[in-house]
Amino acid sequence: MPTYRQTLGQETFRFDSLARVMAAASPLRSGDELAGLAAESELARVAAQMILADLPLREFLEEVLVPYEEDEVTRLIIDSHDAAAFAPVAHMTVGQFRDWLLSNAADTAALKRLAPGITPEMAAAVSKLMRNRDLIAVARKIEVTTAFRSTMGLPGRVSSRLQPNHPTDDPAGVAASIIDGLLFGVGDAMIGINPATDNVPAAIALIELLDDLRQSYEMPTQSCVLTHVTNSIEIINRGAPLDLVFQSIAGTEAANRGFGIDLAMLAEAHDAGRSLNRGTVGQNLMYFETGQGAALSANAHHGMDEQTVETRAYAVARAFDPFLVNTVVGFIGPEYLYDGKQITRAGLEDHFCAKLMGVPMGCDVCYTNHSNADQDDMDGLVTLLSDAGCGFFIAVPGADDVMLNYQSLSYHDVLYLRESFGRRAAPEFEAWLEKMQIVDAQGRIRAEDHRLIQSMAGRRAALPA
Amino acid sequence: MTDHPSDDTPVQDPWARLRAATPARIGLGRNGAGLPTGALNTFRADAARARDAVHAPLDFDALAAGLPDLPVLRMASAAPDRPTYLRRPDLGRRLSDADRAALAPADPAPDLVFVVCDGLSSAAIATHAAPFLKIVTEQLSDLTLGPVVLVREGRVAIGDEIGGALGAGMVAVLIGERPGLTVADSMGLYLTYGPRTGRQDSERNCLSNIHTSGGQSYETAAAKLAWLVREARARGLTGTRLKEEAPALAAPDPAKGIGAPD
């Protein structure tokens, strides 16, 4: 294994593997400290960043961080690498790559052509050399569009998942949160529920509720119940109207095993979903969640820092033409991302790296109550991500998820993106909002229509009188 | 001006029925895209309560004074303070060196030891630990109970080390769960048969959501624990294999990875 050295003044810093260089070059976060991988000093971090800047991008094709023989995610990354797409940057070092990404030569079309040539480790490496504003400036040049019943990722648009979770999956309670969200124009990416009871019959009940509501009002959106991929396959086999197939994924074979999945299982679920042919404007139907710290918490990080191993999950996602991916950036807790500063940095990194790889990345801008973060930090992150062109956010009523007990964005925050930055909903859903008279001809939310609320509430006989 | 008044008269308020169906914060109204001041301040108060529950130090003197009539041991984990505790779950699972050295097997060997950890909600333990222990120790009066061990900056797995050192047959860890905005004082309970360092979460049985705002009552949780303790003794195990026999009693779900500070 090669040794990497950098001298700064009187001091020489040595790192005995590429993984250690990557880890030390990462901006400080608690998960790397917990794993014993963080830089030993601020100066050591800079030394690692200098080493990284001078490394050829090709090095990441030769010096893999987890052995090819041991890990199917490494095999996926190496075997699916597109050398032709990589060719324009193949001669560059990581530092030169950063400079090029920031230049006007790296425009939307060039970045789109490049994506299949970028491996996770290349994306992670260059992100470690970038300041937050660099991550924003490059990401906003990248377009990744996908479609099912509505189109995600178009320029000037932002879409949202309406997340109507309820502590007991009560149908009336779920419906109440859906109605509230629709009146804010939320839900063009999907209406997606985390079930409190995670089994097949419970998921089918929720899927049928969502499908009934969607069909009754001819909503151009998609539904999802976030259950294990094996449950989704079973739900499809039982003939339930399943739109999107969900799964949490991570960046190593061992971490994915911790989630009870492998690549073959994801392929089977993808095929099962495609067999239903339920999309109207597109057939992207996989929905993945990721997040820094997942591999470490499964003790399956193979000595990689949490940001590098996170990017490898995007290679997994990319293999299945996903409809959407989102990082649940602040959900995992302060032992992985300690405070608002670390959560903000991680959110911008995850969005940038995934987009650079051609993955339709959005964000659950969120935190738990034992993190050193609050709603002000979320205001900052959503504003920065919006500026970075992030096309997808999760929103819950009043920012309070009453089932998972964490705070995300609110329906109001989606409206903030529309009103303050002019970001519009997906075109299909925007037309529907206008037809339903939820927005006016200028796309602005109208005063709420009590008849619509009564009508939608009336769809649910279970609602209390 | 308010675009969506949230204080409509009841006859006109279309949200009344819907609010009854969910604890979610629906029908809040808005000013432009902003939350009305009242709703914002309510959220802030709930968030503050949750943050205080995490960070406020537990008053161990008051806790000890309210406990049932059992010997009490006071200990600390290897995490010296709250910021370290939050960053280093591994330290919260181990005793401090001094306390480890001081711990000796109890005589007679207890059937069950209760360990009480502040966890992520000191409010939960301050409010619920003593009244719950009073009820549950009465139900288990036929057992040899060891001392009640109070642990500062503790996580669930610290019970393994304590129970092992005391020579206990089982350990039950009471711990403050991660606070939400709706309930900031929820207590969890983890029962482990044959406690020793290195036990897996799949070898425990968990009762969660013990609180008085619509959660599991003390009486319900005590009855469930008593059942679990007797079943565990009879079969010589706790965890997923015990859960299979009693589907109503959940084992901790590692996939969710949230809730109590394991």
Side-chain angles (χ1 to χ4, degrees):
Chain A
M1 216 174 256
T3 300
Y4 300 84
R5 281 193 182 78
Q6 178 73 40
T7 301
L8 274 170
Q10 301 297 310
E11 229 175 325
T12 297
F13 296 89
R14 285 186 186 78
F15 304 93
D16 62 9
S17 70
L18 183 54
R20 293 308 293 251
V21 176
M22 294 281 273
S26 233
L28 182 67
R29 66 205 64 198
S30 51
D32 292 342
E33 294 180 298
L34 178 62
L37 292 168
E40 286 174 4
S41 66
E42 290 300 325
L43 200 59
R45 177 169 296 107
V46 179
Q49 287 168 335
M50 287 176 164
I51 292 169
L52 213 47
D54 289 337
L55 281 184
L57 282 178
R58 286 184 184 284
E59 180 115 352
F60 294 99
L61 297 173
E62 289 149 16
E63 189 68 33
V64 297
L65 301 182
V66 190
Y68 184 92
E69 298 73 22
E70 281 178 26
D71 186 278
E72 66 172 0
V73 178
T74 300
R75 291 196 288 280
L76 171 69
I77 291 165
I78 297 298
D79 296 350
S80 65
H81 182 247
D82 184 334
F86 180 58
V89 299
H91 62 286
M92 293 182 190
T93 64
V94 178
Q96 289 166 339
F97 185 43
R98 172 184 173 275
D99 293 337
W100 178 80
L101 285 171
L102 289 163
S103 78
N104 291 335
D107 60 14
T108 300
L111 291 168
K112 188 177 181 62
R113 286 192 301 272
L114 178 68
I118 298 303
T119 66
E121 292 83 356
M122 293 176 194
V126 75
S127 77
K128 293 174 195 298
L129 301 186
M130 296 169 92
R131 280 171 44 197
N132 286 1
R133 67 170 291 278
D134 301 344
L135 299 171
I136 293 167
V138 178
R140 65 180 289 141
K141 297 194 281 189
I142 304 172
E143 271 177 42
V144 183
T145 57
T146 61
F148 191 77
R149 283 191 203 98
S150 55
T151 307
M152 301 290 105
L154 293 171
R157 311 243 173 202
V158 67
S159 297
S160 52
R161 166 179 159 196
L162 195 165
Q163 183 169 297
N165 293 345
H166 186 278
T168 60
D169 298 332
D170 176 64
V174 167
S177 289
I178 293 175
I179 294 166
D180 193 29
L182 290 173
L183 294 174
F184 275 83
V186 170
D188 52 334
M190 76 183 81
I191 301 175
I193 305 175
N194 299 87
T197 304
D198 191 8
N199 62 41
V200 169
I204 288 177
L206 289 171
I207 285 172
E208 287 177 343
L209 182 157
L210 294 177
D211 202 58
D212 171 68
L213 199 64
R214 181 186 67 77
Q215 296 214 44
S216 302
Y217 293 93
E218 299 176 314
M219 270 183 246
T221 189
Q222 27 288 316
S223 64
C224 187
V225 172
L226 283 78
T227 188
H228 194 266
V229 73
T230 50
N231 285 351
S232 290
I233 292 170
E234 177 59 21
I235 289 163
I236 291 169
N237 289 340
R238 293 194 193 179
L242 182 143
D243 289 343
L244 302 180
V245 175
F246 168 79
Q247 184 57 49
S248 292
I249 56 171
T252 66
E253 182 177 334
N256 282 329
R257 203 181 305 127
F259 284 133
I261 59 159
D262 58 26
L263 297 177
M265 205 180 282
L266 292 177
E268 185 190 345
H270 186 215
D271 290 345
R274 290 289 291 264
S275 74
L276 299 178
N277 199 30
R278 291 175 60 81
T280 52
V281 296
Q283 288 295 339
N284 304 104
L285 54 81
M286 299 302 283
Y287 169 40
F288 296 119
E289 283 191 338
T290 71
Q292 294 190 23
L296 176 59
S297 74
N299 197 25
H301 61 298
H302 294 271
M304 287 180 283
D305 65 90
E306 67 180 21
Q307 191 253 337
T308 298
V309 70
E310 161 74 7
T311 60
R312 289 166 54 100
Y314 311 153
V316 174
R318 182 164 66 173
F320 301 100
D321 301 320
F323 178 67
L324 286 171
V325 180
N326 67 258
T327 169
V328 282
V329 65
F331 185 78
I332 193 161
E335 60 267 46
Y336 302 98
L337 294 168
Y338 185 66
D339 56 15
K341 181 182 171 76
Q342 294 184 5
I343 292 170
T344 300
R345 173 74 195 180
L348 293 173
E349 287 168 346
D350 293 352
H351 175 253
F352 163 81
C353 289
K355 284 276 186 72
L356 190 63
M357 293 171 60
V359 170
M361 180 58 103
C363 189
D364 189 356
V365 173
C366 64
Y367 63 103
T368 59
N369 287 313
H370 61 318
S371 300
N372 193 15
D374 61 20
Q375 220 62 33
D376 289 332
D377 295 304
M378 302 304 109
D379 293 346
L381 180 54
V382 72
T383 304
L384 294 173
L385 279 171
S386 176
D387 205 32
C390 184
F392 167 54
F393 295 101
I394 286 176
V396 301
D400 173 14
D401 190 306
V402 294
M403 199 284 278
L404 293 172
N405 274 330
Y406 76 119
Q407 283 85 254
S408 180
L409 296 182
S410 64
Y411 297 157
H412 295 71
D413 293 324
V414 175
L415 196 52
Y416 158 70
L417 298 177
R418 306 221 186 287
E419 301 248 322
S420 291
F421 307 112
R423 304 282 303 277
R424 296 162 59 186
E428 301 85 355
F429 197 78
E430 192 175 52
W432 178 80
L433 289 172
E434 197 177 331
K435 186 183 89 178
M436 295 294 288
Q437 300 188 324
I438 294 171
V439 300
D440 62 22
Q442 284 72 48
R444 299 192 74 165
I445 300 281
R446 300 155 71 111
E448 68 192 22
D449 180 345
H450 291 190
R451 285 165 307 171
L452 184 61
I453 299 171
Q454 304 293 8
S455 157
M456 287 186 168
R459 291 288 315 162
R460 297 304 318 162
L463 276 177
Chain B
M1 108 177 210
T2 298
D3 300 336
H4 288 202
S6 53
D7 55 352
D8 275 0
T9 58
V11 233
Q12 289 175 318
D13 184 3
W15 293 106
R17 279 173 71 204
L18 299 176
R19 280 199 196 95
T22 178
R25 287 164 207 259
I26 60 168
L28 298 179
R30 62 183 179 89
N31 295 291
L35 271 179
T37 303
L40 175 60
N41 279 338
T42 301
F43 181 96
R44 281 186 171 137
D46 292 340
R49 205 170 283 120
R51 299 267 299 165
D52 284 347
V54 173
H55 293 281
L58 181 60
D59 184 342
F60 281 93
D61 293 335
L63 175 62
L67 288 176
D69 190 21
L70 285 168
V72 172
L73 293 177
R74 306 261 294 255
M75 309 216 139
S77 80
D81 52 40
R82 189 103 294 220
T84 310
Y85 175 80
L86 293 173
R87 275 180 224 253
R88 292 288 304 272
D90 54 325
L91 298 182
R93 298 184 192 117
R94 297 204 312 259
L95 280 173
S96 66
D97 289 343
D99 286 331
R100 183 182 307 112
L103 209 50
D107 186 24
D111 297 317
L112 176 66
V113 163
F114 283 99
V115 172
V116 183
C117 298
D118 41 11
L120 290 173
S121 172
S122 56
I125 295 303
T127 311
H128 307 306
F132 173 75
L133 280 172
K134 187 168 185 314
I135 291 170
V136 80
T137 51
E138 279 167 16
Q139 294 202 12
L140 297 169
S141 55
D142 54 322
L143 298 186
T144 304
L145 297 179
V148 178
V149 185
L150 310 183
V151 185
R152 187 181 297 280
E153 314 294 2
R155 290 187 186 254
V156 172
I158 205 165
D160 297 341
E161 187 174 15
I162 294 169
L166 290 172
M170 275 177 271
V171 65
V173 177
L174 304 183
I175 191 160
E177 294 179 329
R178 196 187 78 195
L181 293 200
T182 317
V183 179
D185 65 341
S186 180
M187 184 171 77
L189 188 160
Y190 290 76
L191 180 71
T192 309
Y193 184 88
R196 56 178 154 75
T197 303
R199 283 285 184 201
Q200 302 294 305
D201 286 343
S202 57
E203 297 176 290
R204 313 185 198 287
N205 291 94
C206 166
L207 302 174
S208 62
N209 275 312
I210 303 169
H211 58 82
T212 50
S213 315
Q216 293 203 59
S217 69
Y218 304 146
E219 291 76 12
T220 305
K224 285 182 179 175
L225 180 67
W227 185 90
L228 276 173
V229 164
R230 293 182 208 295
E231 289 296 305
R233 282 187 93 199
R235 295 184 217 184
L237 58 87
T238 46
T240 43
R241 283 161 65 205
L242 186 56
K243 174 194 155 198
E244 278 163 18
E245 306 286 323
L249 300 164
D253 180 358
K256 284 225 168 66
I258 54 165
D262 56 5

